[in-house]
Amino acid sequence: MVIIINFCFTLQYKVLYMEQNQEPIQQLTAIRNLMERSSRFISLSGLSGVSAGVIALLGTLMAFFYLGKEEPFFNIGSYTLLPAQKINQSMWFLLIDAVVVLVLALLSGIYFTTRKARKEGQKVWDHIARRMVINLLIPLMTGGLFCIILLYHRLFLLLAPATLIFYGLALLNASKYTYHEIRVLGLIEILLGLLAGWLTGYGLLFWAMGFGVMHIFYGMMMYFRHEDVKEEECKVNSE
Amino acid sequence: MKDIIGKLNKQFESRIRLGIMSVLSVNEAIDFVSLKDLMDTSDGNLASHLNALERNGLIDVKKQFIGRKPNTRYSITPKGNEAFKEHLEYLARLINQQTI
């Protein structure tokens, strides 16, 4: 399957430099277009990554200032040493903070992706979007439940690594159905998660890196690679 | 010159048929409605092309029910895959020949 796609792409690049016979060239362009549209979710907007990253950074900052009152550094791990009441208090704050960040990030992601799909005249919720979301959700939900188990056992130390690792695995799994950048982003999140598990106590810092900075970075990269160009192409075509 | 191009598969002369094969070659299986959205054509037109491809053994059809709604899923057969690959190679030869 992959071989066929690669084969098609190579052919198309060859084709770009000559215009003698339009017929086979048009056929290949149509084939490639349909293969891509039917097997990859290409409406995913880079801007949704950027907005999710910004929201995540704001959420981490809030957590930092809240914790900073008692703990000068990013050390969530040392909270296990605090009185039980304090732990509960900050746990609820962090949990609500995390849920608010998640919901806002998802909403902004859906907004930008729908906008991109509409601009290109594509359906947002088609079979490939469904497949991508299902493949994203299986590891993500497993991770979510695992984090609840961690909270239940009060293993706060492992919370940051677990969220990052499972999120990375979810992206890796979903990347089969969308842009290649998502795969690389997933691998980076897994790496950050493993690092966070090693350097416990810097959870917030790793969250800011993984969910904030990386999202913004990859969102911008995807935007400039896939969207900015298309807008220019449209302009050229309309002229 | 005469036979390097090989045979043109008459099956793939139609835009819709070629489109169906392209989609099925990269998807395990796909249902009628999704296929229709991708191809941007009418029900009847798509159905008649699908029937022709099925008759020739290039695609496989599975009918099932999801709840009460009928759901038809299409997938490519090994024979169909072979034919599609041959067609791509045919296009490649055609283009390569022009560059020389």
Side-chain angles (χ1 to χ4, degrees), chain B residues 44-73:
Chain B
N45 192 17
L46 182 61
S48 70
H49 283 300
L50 283 167
N51 277 335
L53 288 172
E54 191 201 355
R55 258 201 320 279
N56 288 301
L58 299 178
I59 63 170
D60 222 11
V61 184
K62 264 203 193 79
K63 284 188 179 162
Q64 58 184 26
F65 281 86
I66 293 179
R68 276 187 197 168
K69 272 192 190 158
N71 178 280
T72 319
R73 295 183 72 80

Coordinates of all heavy atoms in Angstrom, one line a residue, chain B residues 44-73:
Chain B
G44 N -26.7 6.6 -8.2 CA -26.9 5.6 -9.3 C -25.7 5.4 -10.1 O -25.3 4.3 -10.4
N45 N -25.0 6.5 -10.4 CA -23.8 6.4 -11.2 C -22.7 5.6 -10.5 O -22.1 4.7 -11.0 CB -23.3 7.9 -11.4 CG -22.2 7.9 -12.5 OD1 -22.0 7.0 -13.2 ND2 -21.4 9.0 -12.5
L46 N -22.5 5.9 -9.2 CA -21.5 5.2 -8.4 C -21.9 3.8 -8.3 O -21.0 2.9 -8.5 CB -21.4 5.9 -7.0 CG -20.4 5.3 -6.1 CD1 -19.0 5.4 -6.7 CD2 -20.4 5.9 -4.7
A47 N -23.2 3.5 -8.0 CA -23.6 2.1 -7.9 C -23.3 1.3 -9.1 O -22.9 0.1 -9.0 CB -25.1 2.0 -7.5
S48 N -23.6 1.8 -10.3 CA -23.4 1.1 -11.5 C -21.9 0.8 -11.8 O -21.6 -0.3 -12.2 CB -24.1 1.8 -12.7 OG -23.3 2.9 -13.0
H49 N -21.1 1.7 -11.5 CA -19.6 1.5 -11.6 C -19.2 0.4 -10.6 O -18.3 -0.4 -11.0 CB -18.9 2.8 -11.4 CG -18.9 3.7 -12.6 ND1 -18.4 3.3 -13.8 CD2 -19.3 5.0 -12.8 CE1 -18.6 4.3 -14.7 NE2 -19.2 5.3 -14.1
L50 N -19.7 0.5 -9.4 CA -19.3 -0.5 -8.4 C -19.7 -1.9 -8.8 O -19.0 -2.8 -8.7 CB -19.9 -0.1 -7.0 CG -19.2 1.0 -6.3 CD1 -20.1 1.5 -5.1 CD2 -17.9 0.6 -5.7
N51 N -20.9 -1.9 -9.4 CA -21.4 -3.2 -9.8 C -20.5 -3.8 -10.9 O -20.2 -5.0 -10.9 CB -22.8 -3.1 -10.4 CG -23.9 -3.1 -9.3 OD1 -23.6 -3.7 -8.3 ND2 -25.0 -2.5 -9.5
A52 N -20.1 -3.0 -11.8 CA -19.3 -3.4 -12.9 C -17.9 -3.9 -12.4 O -17.5 -5.0 -12.8 CB -19.0 -2.3 -13.9
L53 N -17.4 -3.2 -11.5 CA -16.1 -3.6 -10.9 C -16.2 -4.9 -10.1 O -15.3 -5.8 -10.2 CB -15.5 -2.5 -10.0 CG -15.0 -1.2 -10.6 CD1 -14.7 -0.2 -9.6 CD2 -13.8 -1.5 -11.5
E54 N -17.4 -5.0 -9.4 CA -17.6 -6.3 -8.7 C -17.7 -7.5 -9.6 O -17.2 -8.5 -9.4 CB -18.8 -6.1 -7.8 CG -19.0 -7.3 -6.8 CD -20.4 -7.4 -6.3 OE1 -21.2 -6.6 -6.6 OE2 -20.6 -8.4 -5.6
R55 N -18.5 -7.3 -10.7 CA -18.7 -8.3 -11.7 C -17.4 -8.9 -12.2 O -17.2 -10.0 -12.5 CB -19.6 -7.8 -12.9 CG -21.0 -8.3 -12.8 CD -21.7 -8.2 -14.2 NE -21.3 -7.0 -15.0 CZ -21.8 -5.8 -14.8 NH1 -22.8 -5.6 -13.9 NH2 -21.4 -4.8 -15.6
N56 N -16.4 -7.9 -12.4 CA -15.1 -8.3 -12.9 C -14.2 -8.8 -11.9 O -13.0 -9.1 -12.2 CB -14.5 -7.2 -13.7 CG -15.2 -6.9 -15.0 OD1 -15.3 -7.8 -15.8 ND2 -15.8 -5.7 -15.1
G57 N -14.7 -8.9 -10.6 CA -13.8 -9.5 -9.6 C -12.7 -8.6 -9.1 O -11.8 -9.0 -8.5
L58 N -12.9 -7.3 -9.4 CA -11.8 -6.3 -8.9 C -12.1 -5.8 -7.5 O -11.1 -5.4 -6.8 CB -11.7 -5.1 -9.9 CG -11.3 -5.5 -11.3 CD1 -11.3 -4.2 -12.2 CD2 -10.0 -6.2 -11.4
I59 N -13.3 -5.8 -7.1 CA -13.6 -5.4 -5.7 C -14.6 -6.4 -5.1 O -15.2 -7.2 -5.7 CB -14.3 -4.0 -5.7 CG1 -15.6 -3.9 -6.4 CG2 -13.3 -2.9 -6.2 CD1 -16.4 -2.6 -6.2
D60 N -14.6 -6.3 -3.8 CA -15.4 -7.2 -2.9 C -16.5 -6.4 -2.3 O -16.2 -5.3 -1.8 CB -14.5 -7.8 -1.9 CG -14.7 -9.3 -1.7 OD1 -15.5 -9.9 -2.5 OD2 -14.2 -9.9 -0.7
V61 N -17.7 -7.0 -2.2 CA -18.8 -6.3 -1.5 C -19.3 -7.0 -0.3 O -19.5 -8.2 -0.4 CB -20.0 -6.0 -2.5 CG1 -21.0 -5.2 -1.9 CG2 -19.5 -5.4 -3.8
K62 N -19.5 -6.3 0.8 CA -20.0 -7.0 2.0 C -21.2 -6.1 2.4 O -21.1 -5.0 2.7 CB -19.0 -7.0 3.1 CG -18.3 -8.3 3.2 CD -17.7 -8.5 4.6 CE -16.7 -9.7 4.5 NZ -15.4 -9.2 4.0
K63 N -22.4 -6.8 2.5 CA -23.6 -6.1 2.9 C -23.9 -6.5 4.4 O -23.8 -7.7 4.7 CB -24.8 -6.5 2.0 CG -24.6 -5.7 0.7 CD -25.8 -5.8 -0.2 CE -25.5 -5.0 -1.4 NZ -26.3 -5.3 -2.5
Q64 N -24.2 -5.5 5.2 CA -24.5 -5.8 6.6 C -25.5 -4.7 7.1 O -25.8 -3.8 6.4 CB -23.2 -5.8 7.4 CG -22.5 -4.5 7.3 CD -21.2 -4.5 8.1 OE1 -20.6 -5.6 8.2 NE2 -20.7 -3.4 8.6
F65 N -25.9 -4.9 8.3 CA -26.8 -3.9 8.9 C -26.2 -3.3 10.1 O -25.6 -4.0 10.9 CB -28.2 -4.6 9.3 CG -29.1 -4.7 8.1 CD1 -29.0 -5.9 7.3 CD2 -30.0 -3.8 7.8 CE1 -29.8 -6.0 6.2 CE2 -30.8 -3.9 6.7 CZ -30.7 -5.1 5.9
I66 N -26.3 -2.0 10.2 CA -25.9 -1.4 11.5 C -27.2 -0.8 12.1 O -27.8 0.1 11.6 CB -24.9 -0.2 11.2 CG1 -23.6 -0.8 10.7 CG2 -24.6 0.6 12.5 CD1 -22.5 0.3 10.4
G67 N -27.6 -1.5 13.1 CA -29.0 -1.2 13.6 C -29.9 -1.7 12.6 O -29.9 -2.9 12.2
R68 N -30.7 -0.8 12.1 CA -31.6 -1.1 11.0 C -31.2 -0.6 9.6 O -31.8 -0.9 8.6 CB -33.0 -0.6 11.3 CG -33.8 -1.5 12.2 CD -35.2 -1.0 12.4 NE -35.8 -1.6 13.5 CZ -36.9 -1.2 14.1 NH1 -37.5 -0.2 13.5 NH2 -37.4 -1.8 15.1
K69 N -30.1 0.2 9.7 CA -29.7 0.8 8.4 C -28.8 -0.2 7.6 O -27.8 -0.8 8.2 CB -28.9 2.0 8.7 CG -29.7 3.3 8.8 CD -28.7 4.5 8.8 CE -29.4 5.8 9.2 NZ -28.5 6.8 9.6
P70 N -29.1 -0.4 6.4 CA -28.2 -1.2 5.6 C -26.8 -0.5 5.4 O -26.8 0.7 5.2 CB -28.9 -1.4 4.3 CG -29.8 -0.2 4.2 CD -30.2 0.1 5.6
N71 N -25.8 -1.3 5.4 CA -24.4 -0.7 5.3 C -23.6 -1.6 4.3 O -23.5 -2.7 4.6 CB -23.8 -0.6 6.7 CG -22.4 0.0 6.6 OD1 -21.4 -0.7 6.3 ND2 -22.2 1.3 6.9
T72 N -23.2 -1.0 3.2 CA -22.4 -1.8 2.3 C -21.0 -1.4 2.3 O -20.7 -0.2 2.2 CB -23.0 -1.6 0.8 OG1 -24.4 -1.6 0.9 CG2 -22.6 -2.7 -0.1
R73 N -20.1 -2.3 2.5 CA -18.7 -2.0 2.5 C -18.0 -2.6 1.4 O -18.2 -3.8 1.0 CB -18.1 -2.5 3.9 CG -18.7 -1.8 5.0 CD -18.0 -2.2 6.3 NE -16.7 -1.7 6.4 CZ -16.4 -0.5 6.8 NH1 -17.3 0.4 7.1 NH2 -15.1 -0.1 6.9

